[in-house]
Amino acid sequence: MTVEQIVEAIEKLTVAELAQLVKALEEKFGVTAAAPVAVAAVAAPTSAAPATQAAAEEKTEFSVVLKSHGANKINVIKVVREITGLGLKEAKDLVEKAGSPDAVVKSGIPKNEAEEIKKKLEEAGAEVILK
Protein backbone atom coordinates (compact mmCIF):
# COMPACT_ATOMS: atom_id res chain seq x y z
CA MET A 1 0.00 0.00 0.00
CA THR A 2 1.44 3.38 -0.99
CA VAL A 3 1.38 6.53 1.10
CA GLU A 4 -1.08 8.02 -1.37
CA GLN A 5 -3.48 5.07 -0.91
CA ILE A 6 -3.24 5.44 2.87
CA VAL A 7 -4.03 9.16 2.64
CA GLU A 8 -7.02 8.42 0.39
CA ALA A 9 -8.31 5.84 2.87
CA ILE A 10 -7.92 8.30 5.78
CA GLU A 11 -9.85 10.97 3.84
CA LYS A 12 -12.89 8.67 3.75
CA LEU A 13 -12.99 8.17 7.55
CA THR A 14 -15.51 9.90 9.79
CA VAL A 15 -14.36 12.08 12.67
CA ALA A 16 -15.12 9.28 15.15
CA GLU A 17 -13.14 6.79 13.06
CA LEU A 18 -10.21 9.24 12.87
CA ALA A 19 -10.21 9.55 16.66
CA GLN A 20 -10.10 5.75 16.96
CA LEU A 21 -7.25 5.62 14.44
CA VAL A 22 -5.20 8.19 16.37
CA LYS A 23 -5.76 6.33 19.64
CA ALA A 24 -4.77 3.00 18.07
CA LEU A 25 -1.59 4.50 16.58
CA GLU A 26 -0.68 6.11 19.91
CA GLU A 27 -1.08 2.77 21.70
CA LYS A 28 0.69 0.74 19.01
CA PHE A 29 3.77 2.98 18.79
CA GLY A 30 3.82 4.45 22.30
CA VAL A 31 3.59 8.04 21.07
CA THR A 32 1.24 10.94 21.48
CA ALA A 33 -0.25 13.07 18.71
CA ALA A 34 -0.93 16.03 21.00
CA ALA A 35 2.20 18.07 20.18
CA PRO A 36 2.05 17.77 16.35
CA VAL A 37 -1.68 18.54 16.34
CA ALA A 38 -1.15 21.69 18.40
CA VAL A 39 1.68 22.82 16.11
CA ALA A 40 -0.39 22.14 13.01
CA ALA A 41 -3.33 24.09 14.43
CA VAL A 42 -1.11 27.09 15.17
CA ALA A 43 0.77 26.90 11.89
CA ALA A 44 -2.29 26.64 9.67
CA PRO A 45 -5.31 28.38 11.15
CA THR A 46 -6.78 29.03 7.68
CA SER A 47 -7.07 25.30 7.01
CA ALA A 48 -9.47 24.89 9.95
CA ALA A 49 -12.46 26.21 8.00
CA PRO A 50 -12.21 23.67 5.15
CA ALA A 51 -11.73 20.87 7.69
CA THR A 52 -14.90 21.96 9.49
CA GLN A 53 -16.75 22.10 6.18
CA ALA A 54 -15.58 18.61 5.29
CA ALA A 55 -16.73 17.29 8.66
CA ALA A 56 -20.16 18.82 8.10
CA GLU A 57 -20.42 17.22 4.67
CA GLU A 58 -19.49 13.81 6.07
CA LYS A 59 -22.42 13.72 8.48
CA THR A 60 -23.54 10.11 8.75
CA GLU A 61 -26.21 10.21 11.45
CA PHE A 62 -29.44 12.13 11.16
CA SER A 63 -32.49 12.89 13.27
CA VAL A 64 -36.05 13.08 11.94
CA VAL A 65 -37.92 15.93 13.64
CA LEU A 66 -41.62 16.76 13.29
CA LYS A 67 -42.08 20.41 12.37
CA SER A 68 -45.88 20.15 12.14
CA HIS A 69 -48.43 17.34 12.14
CA GLY A 70 -50.54 19.12 9.53
CA ALA A 71 -54.28 18.64 9.12
CA ASN A 72 -54.11 14.84 9.21
CA LYS A 73 -52.91 14.29 12.78
CA ILE A 74 -54.40 10.79 13.10
CA ASN A 75 -52.56 9.52 10.02
CA VAL A 76 -49.30 11.04 11.31
CA ILE A 77 -49.80 9.29 14.67
CA LYS A 78 -50.29 5.97 12.84
CA VAL A 79 -47.07 6.45 10.87
CA VAL A 80 -45.14 7.47 14.01
CA ARG A 81 -46.37 4.31 15.76
CA GLU A 82 -45.29 2.21 12.77
CA ILE A 83 -41.81 3.81 12.64
CA THR A 84 -41.06 3.92 16.37
CA GLY A 85 -43.04 1.05 17.83
CA LEU A 86 -44.49 3.43 20.44
CA GLY A 87 -47.89 2.89 21.98
CA LEU A 88 -50.86 5.01 20.97
CA LYS A 89 -50.54 7.51 23.84
CA GLU A 90 -46.77 7.93 23.43
CA ALA A 91 -47.07 8.41 19.66
CA LYS A 92 -49.90 10.93 20.15
CA ASP A 93 -47.82 12.85 22.72
CA LEU A 94 -44.85 12.91 20.33
CA VAL A 95 -46.97 14.16 17.42
CA GLU A 96 -48.49 16.87 19.61
CA LYS A 97 -44.97 18.14 20.39
CA ALA A 98 -44.49 18.95 16.67
CA GLY A 99 -42.54 22.15 16.26
CA SER A 100 -40.62 21.76 19.51
CA PRO A 101 -37.07 20.42 19.86
CA ASP A 102 -38.55 17.36 21.65
CA ALA A 103 -40.43 16.22 18.53
CA VAL A 104 -37.67 13.82 17.43
CA VAL A 105 -39.23 10.78 15.80
CA LYS A 106 -35.97 8.92 15.35
CA SER A 107 -32.31 9.91 15.76
CA GLY A 108 -28.87 8.53 15.02
CA ILE A 109 -29.94 6.90 11.77
CA PRO A 110 -28.33 6.79 8.31
CA LYS A 111 -29.36 9.38 5.73
CA ASN A 112 -31.26 6.95 3.50
CA GLU A 113 -33.37 5.67 6.40
CA ALA A 114 -34.04 9.25 7.57
CA GLU A 115 -35.20 10.21 4.08
CA GLU A 116 -37.53 7.18 3.91
CA ILE A 117 -39.08 8.11 7.27
CA LYS A 118 -39.41 11.73 6.17
CA LYS A 119 -41.20 10.61 2.99
CA LYS A 120 -43.66 8.41 4.95
CA LEU A 121 -44.46 11.21 7.39
CA GLU A 122 -44.91 13.77 4.62
CA GLU A 123 -47.24 11.41 2.76
CA ALA A 124 -49.32 11.26 5.98
CA GLY A 125 -49.50 15.08 6.00
CA ALA A 126 -46.71 16.05 8.40
CA GLU A 127 -43.96 18.61 7.88
CA VAL A 128 -40.58 17.08 8.70
CA ILE A 129 -37.00 18.29 8.89
CA LEU A 130 -33.78 16.30 8.99
CA LYS A 131 -31.05 17.39 11.35
Side-chain angles (χ1 to χ4, degrees), residues 51-73:
T52 304
Q53 251 181 352
E57 291 173 13
E58 294 178 18
K59 186 173 180 178
T60 58
E61 292 186 347
F62 293 83
S63 295
V64 180
V65 181
L66 278 177
K67 186 174 177 184
S68 165
H69 56 68
N72 234 340
K73 186 168 139 182

Side-chain angles (χ1 to χ4, degrees), residues 3-112:
V3 172
E4 189 173 293
Q5 290 171 325
I6 294 170
V7 170
E8 287 175 9
I10 291 173
E11 285 178 336
K12 296 176 185 173
L13 296 177
T14 66
V15 175
E17 291 169 333
L18 284 171
Q20 289 176 340
L21 174 63
V22 169
K23 185 177 180 182
L25 290 172
E26 287 175 343
E27 290 174 5
K28 174 78 175 174
F29 297 108
V31 296
T32 180
V37 171
V39 172
V42 171
T46 57
S47 65
T52 304
Q53 251 181 352
E57 291 173 13
E58 294 178 18
K59 186 173 180 178
T60 58
E61 292 186 347
F62 293 83
S63 295
V64 180
V65 181
L66 278 177
K67 186 174 177 184
S68 165
H69 56 68
N72 234 340
K73 186 168 139 182
I74 294 173
N75 286 343
V76 175
I77 293 171
K78 288 178 183 179
V79 173
V80 168
R81 287 189 68 200
E82 172 191 327
I83 292 166
T84 62
L86 292 173
L88 180 60
K89 181 177 178 356
E90 292 83 5
K92 179 181 177 277
D93 291 345
L94 176 62
V95 170
E96 288 177 345
K97 291 180 187 176
S100 77
D102 296 334
V104 177
V105 176
K106 207 160 187 186
S107 63
I109 56 174
K111 185 176 183 177
N112 60 344

